[in-house]
Amino acid sequence: MAMVGKGLTLERAKELQADKYGYSVHELKGGLLVRFEEEDVVELTTGAVDIHMHAYPDNWQRPSIVNIGERACELGVKAMVWKCHKTSTAGESWILQHYLDMWASQRGLEATKIYGGITFNKSVGGVNPDTLREQIVFPHFKTVWMPTHDSDHEMREVWGQEGGITILDEKKELKPEAIKIVDIIAKNEAKTGNKVLISACHLWPNEIIALIKEASSKKVDVLVDHVTQELTKLTIDQMKEMVDLGAYLGLYALSCVPNFYIPMTDPFNVKRIVEEIDSKHIVIASDCGQPLSVLPPDGLKAFIRTLLALGISKQDIKIMVKDNPAKLLGLPSDL
Ligand SMILES: [Zn+2]
């Protein structure tokens, strides 16, 4: 079968590009999409948790975390986890929280909680237990992101280069530093009660599976990021294997709905994944925060609207955008 990328058939790509496609989407009755209520979009956005988003300050142009934070308060987003590919965002999140608490209370709004963490790219020494040991005790530290742009997977597949970071040794077993990372997170939770999530980011599928096995054995959660994005796209069988081992799957607006950065993605895949995997193993997030994307809270809201239009139930969306991310971050239920 002729394919356009890992998951899109040439036939489906032609359908998405057809003259009548946009018009058929418009026809609610007997068309591709179902009718939804805007008040349901608002209800699901209020109290949502965006577990994966980006912002400025960064080494690249992005929308300001201050503007994003204010917008999140306006939309009633409960919490956001701010990812930077280069450095820790935990301390910055703590400072921003003080500002947002003040800004929101002046307007009679609830302040969105902002959390951060660290991404194990080369700028922090790769998958580095020493870095984590010092960083994990910072306030608002909630996530460890595995290598992204410096990963062996991305460097080989996207850029055709060697020298990327891998967490497996020659025998395809987890390297000691990856095992230590899981240990540090587990011990830190036992000591402080702060739950920290591992996000798999751009690792190879076999690296992710080894990591999930190790993490699950120590009761540390793993979120498998953007499973519909070309580099990290998984088959339904791979998704099932990871979920059976205890992982959660991330479906993010940026890689589920066509946009400036990812123009070729079929949003109808999302419905299939939710049906085949079950919402209790899935997390919805925006992954927005690029200069040409809408602000992350608006991206999340638009994604919720898309999911309703695809016919995914309110209950499933609530589980994916509120319950599961709150559980993965160990957020208090009264937050
Ligand atoms: Zn991202």
Side-chain angles (χ1 to χ4, degrees):
M1 197 189 306
M3 300 294 289
V4 180
K6 287 181 197 155
L8 203 57
T9 63
L10 183 57
E11 199 186 347
R12 181 64 179 143
K14 280 182 181 165
E15 268 174 39
L16 293 171
Q17 192 64 14
D19 285 346
K20 66 176 183 208
Y21 178 76
Y23 302 103
S24 63
V25 168
H26 258 299
E27 291 166 7
L28 293 173
K29 258 190 228 156
L32 294 166
L33 303 178
V34 303
R35 189 173 287 280
F36 61 92
E37 301 301 329
E38 193 60 23
E39 64 198 36
D40 292 336
V41 180
V42 172
E43 185 189 319
L44 288 162
T45 308
T46 307
V49 176
D50 192 355
I51 207 167
H52 188 126
M53 45 74 62
H54 301 269
Y56 192 85
D58 202 326
N59 67 330
W60 191 51
Q61 184 188 348
R62 293 185 180 280
S64 154
I65 189 65
V66 175
N67 298 136
I68 294 169
E70 291 172 354
R71 184 68 182 141
C73 297
E74 283 172 352
L75 294 186
V77 171
K78 178 155 109 173
M80 294 194 297
V81 188
W82 170 19
K83 173 180 177 184
C84 174
H85 293 279
K86 301 295 178 187
T87 190
S88 173
T89 51
E92 287 170 299
S93 297
W94 180 83
I95 299 171
L96 181 73
Q97 193 68 64
H98 283 274
Y99 168 73
L100 280 187
D101 287 349
M102 210 168 58
W103 188 89
S105 81
Q106 284 167 354
R107 288 158 181 80
L109 300 169
E110 284 288 320
T112 303
K113 297 286 177 205
I114 311 288
Y115 298 103
I118 198 162
T119 309
F120 284 141
N121 280 322
K122 291 181 180 175
S123 53
V124 301
V127 179
N128 189 334
D130 291 331
T131 301
L132 181 60
R133 221 173 271 119
E134 304 296 345
Q135 295 282 340
I136 201 167
V137 292
F138 271 59
H140 289 230
F141 192 104
K142 275 289 173 200
T143 300
V144 164
W145 289 282
M146 285 291 136
T148 56
H149 304 321
D150 296 330
S151 67
D152 179 65
H153 186 200
E154 176 172 329
M155 283 187 69
R156 276 181 202 278
E157 285 229 336
V158 180
W159 309 108
Q161 290 171 10
E162 308 234 331
I165 303 165
T166 171
I167 58 168
L168 298 183
D169 61 20
E170 313 76 53
K171 291 189 212 146
K172 299 290 168 209
E173 282 168 10
L174 268 192
K175 287 182 175 174
E177 59 264 35
I179 296 173
K180 256 190 204 141
I181 296 301
V182 176
D183 267 346
I184 292 168
I185 294 171
K187 282 186 185 142
N188 179 69
E189 186 177 345
K191 196 171 153 194
T192 67
N194 185 36
K195 193 164 164 48
V196 169
L197 170 70
I198 299 180
S199 222
C201 294
H202 296 188
L203 297 177
W204 291 99
N206 65 336
E207 293 179 289
I208 297 175
I209 285 171
L211 181 64
I212 298 168
K213 285 180 181 165
E214 179 65 22
S216 294
S217 75
K218 289 173 183 153
K219 298 201 168 14
V220 172
D221 282 315
V222 176
L223 175 60
V224 185
D225 296 293
H226 33 59
V227 298
T228 60
Q229 191 165 313
E230 190 60 22
L231 177 66
T232 48
K233 197 172 271 175
L234 298 177
T235 63
I236 292 284
D237 284 344
Q238 286 173 315
M239 291 180 205
K240 283 184 177 159
E241 184 181 359
M242 291 179 186
V243 160
D244 287 344
L245 291 168
Y248 286 74
L249 305 177
L251 289 175
Y252 303 159
L254 184 71
S255 41
C256 287
V257 184
N259 60 81
F260 196 90
Y261 297 95
I262 303 185
M264 293 291 277
T265 184
D266 185 351
F268 289 86
N269 281 338
V270 174
K271 187 175 168 67
R272 206 178 117 232
I273 293 168
V274 174
E275 281 167 359
E276 297 213 27
I277 301 295
D278 197 308
S279 59
K280 64 175 188 265
H281 307 292
I282 299 174
V283 171
I284 293 299
S286 74
D287 198 6
C288 291
Q290 302 74 28
L292 299 177
S293 296
V294 291
L295 294 184
D298 290 295
L300 189 66
K301 187 175 182 182
F303 193 30
I304 289 169
R305 185 179 291 123
T306 307
L307 299 176
L308 285 169
L310 285 168
I312 298 171
S313 75
K314 269 177 76 178
Q315 179 60 14
D316 278 334
I317 299 172
K318 176 186 170 287
I319 289 169
M320 297 188 290
V321 81
K322 294 185 182 180
D323 302 352
N324 287 347
K327 193 170 97 189
L328 290 179
L329 300 171
L331 300 185
S333 52
D334 60 344
L335 188 71

